[in-house]
Amino acid sequence: MQRYSDYNDSGVEWLGKIPVHWDAGHAKRWFRIVNGGTPQSSVGEYWDGEVVWLTPEDLGQNQGHRIEGGRRMITVAGLQSCSASLCPKGSLVVSTRAPIGHLAITATNAATNQGCRTLVPGPQIDSTFGYYAVESARQVLESLGQGSTFMELTPANLGSVPLPLPPLDEQRDIAAFLDRETERIDSLIAKKRLLIERLQEYRTALITRTVTRGLPPEAARAAGLDPSPRLKPSGVEWLGDVPEHWDVQCLKRLVSLQSGATPSKARDDFWDGDIPWVSPKDMKRAELIDAEDHISLAAVRESSVNILPLETVLIVVRGMILAHSFPVAMTGAPLAINQDMKALRSKSDVVQHYLYWALIGFGDRLVRLTDESAHGTRRLETTTVGALQFPVPPRQEQSSIVSFLETRVSGIDGLLARISRAIERQQEYRTALITAAVTGKIDVRETASSDRGPAESQP
């Protein structure tokens, strides 16, 4: 992509040099900044009306750069009762708290809550170009956030963000170029995300099928096992049939269940030690060797916290249990856990690594067994875990299942990682392309004009 012939220093670090015929200035020069507000929630007549009312959550869940509406609507009376204002179609809505930087162009007249601010473009700004320019300045927006309880971008700071301003026709050329290119990139990313979703579904199905029916025939032959074992009813509706030579028992007969605990926060000497202290937020890897928080040996000696040995299986029983994912991990180092976790150690009949894979395979069932509190927190009772009906192959077959799954799942995980890296690279390229175009590091005028064709290029 070619560059412009002449540049001037913009005087702004993130903009750098811009084409000599461009202008640059604070956002308040090009946009009118409008605050949001929220009608009183207890007044029914203020809600479920015809006025589009947007929040940071709506912006965060929006797909694409235009937004049609939000989760809730308000009435004209509700609009008039608060500090929100109705802004025209084509305005930019920016989330200015929790978090800063979500962005969309309104597809209709809309108001916002106090977590957003609206940038109403002046006559010299094309809305779509303005969208890309503000998106390029996202790191600047985040850096200008202020606050102790939560970070917020004030109207003054939002208005102070420096933005480039090409001539209006050139803005439209840049916007058309970026619309086309980002749509192409987003389409590629969407296809890769769909592939990830299907691979994850296949991964789950492979694990579940193997820990409930045994190895596939070819893998069973290679392991010296019967490739087509006869099946018998397990007596458990959700489990269905299992190989005839397998046993089915309550999990509490097969494992010991150990709870975690939290050392006293009043004891400074209990904290910031060398022992990882795992909580649900740490359950992001299959093998855990560290945690965000650490405790000391004094905490272990003088509280109810215990250090768990290697290859202990960990599950989350309260908190971050998602509707589609049950978190299971295995310890790769000595560590402790908090009270939202359970540690499982097998007794004589179950291979520890088979226990790990089986619990992953039964994740959907375990999620279904959780109870949701009034505050939306999910909880899995110890008695429920212990009552789970668990298929038990002979130990040698368990070891063969573990070897098979470790090999096959490792291959799937490697492919998932490569696709994820490809998505990251495409997202980085997308960001870099937008920044290069809106700051004039590349000249897209000829490309945009040729794409529109002769008829569209005429004034």
Side-chain angles (χ1 to χ4, degrees):
M1 193 78 63
Q2 67 182 16
R3 289 170 57 84
Y4 288 87
S5 57
D6 295 305
Y7 288 84
N8 279 335
D9 190 351
S10 68
V12 177
E13 183 178 356
W14 87 269
L15 288 178
K17 292 183 177 181
I18 60 175
V20 68
H21 62 288
W22 287 24
D23 196 359
H26 296 144
K28 63 185 176 183
R29 282 183 60 187
W30 322 128
F31 297 94
R32 177 168 59 92
I33 300 174
V34 180
N35 294 330
T38 300
Q40 191 172 340
S41 58
S42 59
V43 181
E45 66 180 272
Y46 291 166
W47 297 92
D48 301 322
E50 302 82 32
V51 178
V52 172
W53 182 73
L54 304 172
T55 68
E57 181 182 3
D58 297 324
L59 295 177
Q61 294 178 352
N62 186 58
Q63 299 295 318
H65 57 256
R66 296 193 179 273
I67 188 166
E68 299 282 345
R71 186 175 60 88
R72 300 198 67 182
M73 306 275 281
I74 61 174
T75 63
V76 173
L79 179 68
Q80 294 172 343
S81 73
C82 66
S83 58
S85 298
L86 193 64
C87 295
K89 171 185 175 180
S91 298
L92 307 184
V93 177
V94 184
S95 64
T96 52
R97 67 166 79 157
I100 294 172
H102 287 325
L103 178 67
I105 305 172
T106 57
T108 186
N109 296 344
T112 75
N113 79 347
Q114 62 274 19
C116 300
R117 290 189 169 84
T118 303
L119 299 173
V120 181
Q124 69 274 57
I125 282 282
D126 175 80
S127 291
T128 307
F129 174 83
Y131 168 87
Y132 288 120
V134 174
E135 182 174 306
S136 294
R138 182 175 300 219
Q139 287 188 337
V140 180
L141 298 179
E142 292 173 349
S143 70
L144 293 173
Q146 298 176 337
S148 53
T149 306
F150 56 82
M151 301 299 288
E152 180 170 17
L153 185 63
T154 66
N157 284 345
L158 177 58
S160 72
V161 174
L163 298 173
L165 187 72
L168 189 56
D169 286 348
E170 203 165 332
Q171 292 179 43
R172 291 169 179 154
D173 283 342
I174 293 169
F177 168 80
L178 288 175
D179 276 350
R180 186 190 71 244
E181 291 301 308
T182 56
E183 182 179 355
R184 181 182 63 82
I185 296 167
D186 291 344
S187 177
L188 291 172
I189 290 173
K191 290 176 182 177
K192 283 182 168 55
R193 283 179 173 155
L194 180 59
L195 179 56
I196 284 177
E197 184 179 328
R198 288 176 176 170
L199 281 170
Q200 288 172 331
E201 289 172 354
Y202 171 69
R203 182 186 192 274
T204 300
L206 174 69
I207 296 170
T208 302
R209 195 268 178 214
T210 305
V211 299
T212 56
R213 297 291 185 274
L215 293 172
E218 196 169 315
R221 287 191 193 94
L225 301 171
D226 183 353
S228 303
R230 294 180 60 180
L231 301 179
K232 67 178 181 182
S234 66
V236 182
E237 183 178 356
W238 66 269
L239 187 55
D241 293 341
V242 297
E244 192 174 47
H245 62 288
W246 287 21
D247 196 5
V248 178
Q249 297 188 43
C250 287
L251 189 59
K252 64 184 178 182
R253 296 179 181 174
L254 303 168
V255 304
S256 60
L257 287 164
Q258 185 173 340
S259 300
T262 299
S264 172
K265 298 285 188 179
R267 291 280 301 270
D268 290 341
D269 62 320
F270 282 0
W271 296 93
D272 299 323
D274 297 324
I275 302 168
W277 181 70
V278 174
S279 62
K281 66 178 180 287
D282 298 305
M283 295 285 282
K284 300 170 185 174
R285 296 180 178 273
E287 183 182 56
L288 291 176
I289 60 174
D290 204 355
E292 287 188 24
D293 302 303
H294 294 77
I295 58 174
S296 66
L297 282 172
V300 176
R301 288 193 300 264
E302 301 177 41
S303 74
S304 57
V305 176
N306 294 304
I307 296 179
L308 302 172
L310 295 178
E311 299 186 351
T312 298
V313 175
L314 304 181
I315 62 173
V316 176
V317 293
R318 183 173 60 189
M320 297 174 66
I321 304 174
L322 306 179
H324 62 280
S325 175
F326 187 82
V328 181
M330 182 172 282
T331 61
L335 48 77
I337 58 175
N338 83 345
Q339 64 275 10
D340 297 330
M341 313 282 299
K342 280 284 188 291
L344 290 81
R345 293 291 302 177
S346 65
K347 297 177 182 177
S348 59
D349 293 336
V350 178
V351 174
Q352 191 72 8
H353 282 78
Y354 174 77
L355 172 65
Y356 164 79
W357 286 111
L359 287 172
I360 292 176
F362 303 150
D364 181 66
R365 179 60 186 172
L366 288 165
V367 169
R368 292 173 184 271
L369 294 173
T370 59
D371 296 320
E372 190 166 348
S373 71
H375 302 290
T377 300
R378 302 182 79 90
R379 183 183 180 91
L380 183 62
E381 299 293 343
T382 302
T383 53
T384 303
V385 177
L388 180 72
Q389 295 295 306
F390 198 86
V392 186
R395 284 183 64 90
Q396 181 181 354
E397 188 170 351
Q398 291 179 41
S399 297
S400 297
I401 287 172
V402 168
S403 297
F404 169 79
L405 288 176
E406 285 178 346
T407 301
R408 290 289 296 272
V409 173
S410 176
I412 297 169
D413 288 346
L415 181 56
L416 287 169
R418 289 195 294 275
I419 297 171
S420 295
R421 286 194 296 271
I423 290 175
E424 288 175 6
R425 288 194 297 270
Q426 288 175 330
Q427 289 172 326
E428 289 168 358
Y429 171 69
R430 184 186 192 276
T431 299
L433 183 67
I434 292 172
T435 301
V438 301
T439 61
K441 304 302 182 292
I442 55 175
D443 184 353
V444 304
R445 290 174 295 179
E446 187 174 336
T447 303
S449 297
S450 62
D451 287 343
R452 285 199 303 269
E456 294 176 87
S457 300
Q458 293 175 0

